[in-house]
Amino acid sequence: DLHKPIDKRIYKGTQPTCHDFNQFTAATDTIALLVGFSAGQVQYLDLVKKDTSKLFNEERLIDKTKVTFVKWLPETERLFLASHASGHLYLYDAEQPCGAAAPQYNLLTQGEGFSVFACKSKTPRNPLLKWAVGEGALNEFAFSPDGRSLACVSQDGCLRVFHFDSMLLQGMMKSYFGGLLCVCWSPDGRYVVTGGEDDLVTVWSFTEGRVVARGHGHKSWVNAVAFDPFTGAAQSPQPPELSGGEEEDEPPDPLVRRSPAVTYRFGSAGQDTQFCLWDLTEDVLYPRPPLSRARTLTGSGDAGIPMPGLPRSLSRSNSLPQPAGMGSARGPPPDVPPAFSVGRFATLTLQERKGPSSTEKEHKRYHSLGNISRSGEKPPGGAGSRGRLDTAKVLGTALCPRIHEVPLLEPLVCKKIAHERLTVLLFLEDCIVTACQEGLICTWARPGK
C-alpha cells in the first residue's frame, strides 16, 4: 500500500545520508536496515521487530564526520562497512558494542595511499577494523559480485580496488579531474564504472588494470552509476574469453581475437538532471585498429610485443604488473584476485613525464585542467599524509590516460528527467528507478518496452 508507509521516523538535529537493507537475511519476520547520518552515527533497525534499534558511534568517539555510504558485507548476517567524509572506512559487527572511550588502534598493513588498523581491545568491540583510504572524503564503495574485492572512490579522484580479506591493493585509476563520486561493478566482475566531478563516466577493466573507455554526455557532476544486469553480456551464459594472440612470443592477430558481440549496458544520473544510458560494445572493449594506420610501437621494454595502434601509455609495459607466473597479458581470471605486492605496484604511479609535445597541446583543447600547473610542480598542499597523486604527473600514464588515448563513448540515450539534481539510479527487471534531491522517486519504462 503506497499510501501507508511500513515505518516512518523523523530525526532532529541530524539527517539520514545513506541506508542499506540486508538482502541476505531479509525474510517475512526480519528486515534489517542500516541508516547513516550526517553527524557520523549509524543506526540499526529491524522494520518487522520494532524494538531492536541500535545506535553505533552514538557519542561520535569513532568518527565525527558525515557517513557517506553504508553497506552490509555480502552474504553476512552481522558485519557491515561505513565510510565517512574523513576518508575512513570502518568495519562493524552489529552484535558488538562500541566502547565508552575513543578507540585505540594498531597498524595492520599499509600500502600505496591506504592504511588498515585493528582496534586495540581485550574484548571484541566496534569498530573491528579502520581503513584510511586516499585523501579527502571516501564518497562511495562497492563489493564485486563475488564479494572478494572492494572498489572505493575518493575525493582525491582515485578509484582503488582492494582484495578485502587480504587487504591488498589490486588496482588503481585516477580521475581526469576532481573527485570521484560513485562506483559500480559489471555483473560479471570484469569492469568497474565510476562517475565524478570531471562530468565523465570512466570504464576501468579489473582484469586488465586499465581504463578502457570514457563516456561524455553529462554537463555536470555524475552522482550515480549502475550496470543494467538484465541487458547484454549479463544475459549470455559465458563471458567471452580473448582467444589466441596472447602468448608473449606471437603478435596479436586481429582476426583471432574476435569474440561474440558483447554489450554491457550501464546508466548514469547527474547533477545536470540528465539520465544517460551507455552501451559498452566489443569494438570498444577489444579495439582493432584500421590496418592502414596500425603502428607498432618500439622500445616497449620487456613486456613482449605491444598491441599495434595502442597508445604508449596503455601498452603492456605500463599496465599493472602481472602476479608472478601469469604469462598472459590478459591478467588473472576474475575469480583469482591479482594480489600484487604493494611495493611493486608503488613504482608505477609516477612515471617520467614526457616533454611538452603536440599531444599535450591537442589535449588542452579537450578539457580545461585549470588547477594543474604545466611545469609539473605539485599543486599547493603537496603530497598529503596518505599519499596524494599529483594529476600532472600521472596524466598520460596508465593510471590516467589522456582524453584522446581511450575511446570516448557517446550516450545511447540522454534525457532530462528531473528539476533537481539526480541522486539515485536503480535497474530492476521491469523498470528503471531514479530519485532526485526534490524527494521524487520515479519509475521509468525500459526502452522498447
Side-chain angles (χ1 to χ4, degrees):
D1 179 0
L2 292 177
H3 299 287
K4 202 169 69 185
I6 298 168
D7 195 278
K8 179 183 172 186
R9 286 154 199 269
I10 295 169
Y11 297 96
K12 291 196 171 90
T14 180
Q15 294 89 40
T17 54
C18 50
H19 69 275
D20 188 40
F21 287 102
N22 193 333
Q23 307 285 353
F24 181 64
T25 58
T28 48
D29 57 343
T30 176
I31 301 174
L33 173 65
L34 296 170
V35 185
F37 290 90
S38 55
Q41 305 92 335
V42 178
Q43 187 178 28
Y44 167 90
L45 299 168
D46 194 311
L47 299 184
V48 181
K49 306 168 185 160
K50 294 286 188 189
D51 51 349
T52 55
S53 173
K54 293 177 192 171
L55 202 54
F56 300 94
N57 192 27
E58 183 172 9
E59 304 297 326
R60 302 168 71 222
L61 297 167
I62 296 168
D63 201 306
K64 290 184 164 57
T65 63
K66 174 178 94 167
V67 181
T68 54
F69 205 67
V70 68
K71 201 91 188 139
W72 291 98
L73 259 63
E75 305 199 352
T76 57
E77 292 180 29
R78 300 167 31 170
L79 300 175
F80 65 89
L81 281 175
S83 63
H84 287 255
S86 59
H88 293 144
L89 180 69
Y90 300 93
L91 177 65
Y92 286 90
D93 181 339
E95 301 295 317
Q96 300 293 351
C98 295
Q104 302 289 309
Y105 298 102
N106 285 324
L107 179 67
L108 279 183
T109 182
Q110 61 183 355
E112 178 80 11
F114 77 100
S115 313
V116 187
F117 305 86
C119 202
K120 271 190 209 169
S121 176
K122 291 192 172 72
T123 56
R125 57 174 262 195
N126 285 314
L128 308 180
L129 290 177
K130 167 177 139 179
W131 294 60
V133 180
E135 239 196 25
L138 206 172
N139 290 322
E140 199 172 297
F141 58 88
F143 279 98
S144 58
D146 63 8
R148 294 179 186 183
S149 298
L150 180 71
C152 301
V153 289
S154 305
Q155 199 53 41
D156 62 5
C158 283
L159 160 76
R160 293 176 177 87
V161 181
F162 300 97
H163 185 252
F164 187 68
D165 291 339
S166 65
M167 303 177 223
L168 280 173
L169 187 60
Q170 291 179 290
M172 200 166 162
M173 185 271 291
K174 175 88 174 64
S175 73
Y176 199 63
F177 181 83
L180 288 175
L181 305 177
C182 50
V183 61
C184 177
W185 289 81
S186 65
D188 59 7
R190 285 169 170 253
Y191 299 96
V192 177
V193 166
T194 65
E197 295 176 1
D198 53 9
D199 305 356
L200 300 170
V201 293
T202 302
V203 184
W204 183 79
S205 167
F206 175 59
T207 47
E208 296 172 75
R210 68 179 183 94
V211 176
V212 290
R214 288 200 179 98
H216 189 257
H218 286 283
K219 299 178 185 68
S220 185
W221 297 358
V222 180
N223 277 345
V225 285
F227 271 91
D228 179 355
F230 306 102
T231 305
Q235 301 290 63
S236 62
Q238 210 44 50
E241 282 295 333
L242 292 185
S243 58
E246 293 292 46
E247 295 308 311
E248 292 295 306
D249 55 353
E250 60 173 293
D253 177 353
L255 300 172
V256 185
R257 288 169 58 83
R258 296 221 57 157
S259 59
V262 178
T263 307
Y264 295 83
R265 172 152 314 156
F266 63 94
S268 58
Q271 302 210 5
D272 55 1
T273 69
Q274 304 262 6
F275 163 64
C276 293
L277 270 179
W278 311 82
D279 267 2
L280 255 187
T281 50
E282 68 160 17
D283 55 329
V284 171
L285 299 177
Y286 316 120
R288 285 184 296 280
L291 293 174
S292 59
R293 291 212 322 246
R295 55 199 171 90
T296 303
L297 296 161
T298 53
S300 67
D302 56 355
I305 296 161
M307 310 269 173
L310 211 58
R312 178 77 188 272
S313 57
L314 294 183
S315 67
R316 273 183 223 171
S317 52
N318 288 353
S319 63
L320 296 178
Q322 301 296 343
M326 295 297 294
S328 81
R330 205 180 333 171
D335 55 339
V336 180
F340 310 129
S341 72
V342 173
R344 256 152 97 210
F345 181 73
T347 58
L348 262 180
T349 49
L350 305 174
Q351 296 184 343
E352 69 279 9
R353 200 160 167 247
K354 302 185 188 80
S357 62
S358 59
T359 53
E360 189 128 4
K361 290 194 195 89
E362 185 186 343
H363 166 79
K364 282 168 91 168
R365 280 209 304 271
Y366 283 101
H367 233 282
S368 67
L369 290 173
N371 66 347
I372 292 164
S373 54
R374 297 250 70 87
S375 61
E377 74 251 358
K378 298 201 167 179
S385 54
R386 271 185 259 147
R388 180 175 186 170
L389 278 181
D390 181 0
T391 311
K393 285 200 176 147
V394 297
L395 192 66
T397 69
L399 279 176
C400 182
R402 288 189 158 82
I403 201 90
H404 57 272
E405 291 180 336
V406 290
L408 206 57
L409 302 178
E410 296 282 322
L412 206 66
V413 173
C414 194
K415 192 170 169 60
K416 179 180 163 70
I417 58 167
H419 293 296
E420 288 291 332
R421 56 185 70 168
L422 293 162
T423 52
V424 175
L425 174 61
L426 197 61
F427 285 95
L428 301 178
E429 199 159 3
D430 54 345
C431 64
I432 301 168
V433 182
T434 60
C436 71
Q437 202 130 311
E438 244 181 326
L440 293 174
I441 301 169
C442 300
T443 58
W444 303 89
R446 286 175 161 280
K449 288 278 167 77

